[in-house]
Amino acid sequence: MSRTLTRRAAVIGITAVLLSASTGVAYAADPTVLLPVGKFPEAVAISPDGKKAYVTSPPDAIVTVIDTATNKVTNTIEVDRGPFEVAFTPDGTKAYVANAYANAISVIDTASEKMTATLTAGTYPLALTVSPDGTRLYTTGRNTVRVFDTGTDTQVAEVRFDTDPAALAASPDGEKVWVATESGELTAIDTATNTVVDAVKTAASGDLVLSPDGSRAYQNSGTELVVTDLAAHQVVTRIPGLQNGYRLAISPDGSRVYAGSRASDTTEGTLAEFSTSTNTLLRKLPAGAYPYGIAVTADGSHAYVVLAGQAAVAYVDLRN
């Protein structure tokens, strides 16, 4: 089953399970701060200045804004249908939202916290990333990665694939955008030519993050964290320990990778913490019902974890 269909099924499945259960915050297994957001939230991103966290809610077509200093919800921004991922420009002036149900990208002006434009983005865009210099936006679609100029918010290129792109990550030097595909390949787009220049078979099509130096890629295969040496073009190791693994986050210093994990027979989930120096699973922290998107604060001390089954975001202390 493709990642697109899997994600559709996941939302439908969660809805079915939780219609007869509370979507409040009763599942919390520890004194973690819980923040209410939209229904079945999907992803979270922290603004470059660290002051705001944006959380997407596909059923509600909203982005919830959290003040990270107070951990209070300060606004909800209406966007196009089916918001999944969100990404900020490096200067923090814009946020882009992939709207899978509307086949569009919403552009948010972060100063006014309003949607200011809608970009046509092809069929079912789920993932996006902004180049390190802020000049380009890359979005996934059916068999396609589209490239937009962020200054004009117009499409400037289209890169075709034989299979669906599932996740994106821009290299820190801005020279490549790595694409995890449904076929289990990690493929690189040369950002100067907008052509495919590299491919590594990883047998994983899940979420993707890169180390701060761009030398390694980490992918979520659902049951393992797959570590790839991008210079050597080979998988270094596969670290077991995940169950129904979904989204990933990497700490700003690159020392930790985090993933949500949940056994199939329970809604209760954990936040799995991996060491990138030893390539081992260090621990699992209580998270809540259906942990999805994750964002780590700039100092690495806390994580915001989206709880799709609780219409909430957990603020998890990573220091203990």
Side-chain angles (χ1 to χ4, degrees), residues 40 49 54 57 84 86 88-89 112 122 128 138 141 159 165 172 192 207 214 233 244 251 272 280 283 301 317:
F40 313 118
D49 63 8
Y54 279 22
S57 173
F84 274 73
V86 57
F88 290 91
T89 55
S112 64
L128 45 71
Y138 299 84
V159 185
D207 204 15
H233 290 80
N244 297 297
S251 61
T280 56
R283 58 179 176 166
S301 66
D317 192 331

Side-chain angles (χ1 to χ4, degrees), residues 81-258:
R81 293 182 301 112
F84 274 73
E85 288 193 5
V86 57
F88 290 91
T89 55
D91 64 5
T93 59
K94 288 182 181 180
Y96 292 95
V97 184
N99 299 282
Y101 305 158
N103 297 330
I105 304 297
S106 294
V107 185
I108 296 173
D109 174 81
T110 57
S112 64
E113 293 186 347
K114 295 183 182 298
M115 186 179 74
T116 57
T118 296
L119 314 181
T120 301
T123 304
Y124 213 72
L126 287 170
L128 45 71
T129 191
V130 178
S131 62
D133 66 2
T135 63
R136 293 291 185 266
L137 167 70
Y138 299 84
T139 70
T140 64
R142 189 63 52 82
N143 297 101
T144 304
V145 170
R146 293 177 184 238
V147 187
F148 294 85
D149 183 311
T150 59
T152 60
D153 285 333
T154 56
Q155 183 175 320
V156 294
E158 183 176 304
V159 185
R160 302 290 298 178
F161 288 81
D162 293 330
T163 187
D164 286 348
L168 300 172
S171 63
D173 61 11
E175 294 181 358
K176 293 178 180 178
V177 169
W178 288 92
V179 185
T181 67
E182 295 285 4
S183 62
E185 280 193 335
L186 198 54
T187 303
I189 296 172
D190 183 304
T191 58
T193 62
N194 290 314
T195 57
V196 173
V197 292
D198 275 322
V200 184
K201 291 190 178 297
T202 64
S205 61
D207 204 15
L208 166 69
V209 293
L210 302 185
S211 60
D213 65 1
S215 65
R216 293 201 169 188
Y218 300 88
Q219 282 182 274
N220 196 331
S221 75
T223 58
E224 300 172 318
L225 183 69
V226 181
V227 185
T228 301
D229 185 319
L230 297 177
H233 290 80
Q234 63 182 16
V235 172
V236 174
T237 189
R238 300 175 186 273
I239 311 171
L242 294 177
Q243 294 175 283
N244 297 297
Y246 191 21
R247 290 190 177 274
L248 295 177
I250 190 166
S251 61
D253 66 2
S255 66
R256 300 287 187 269
V257 171
Y258 295 93

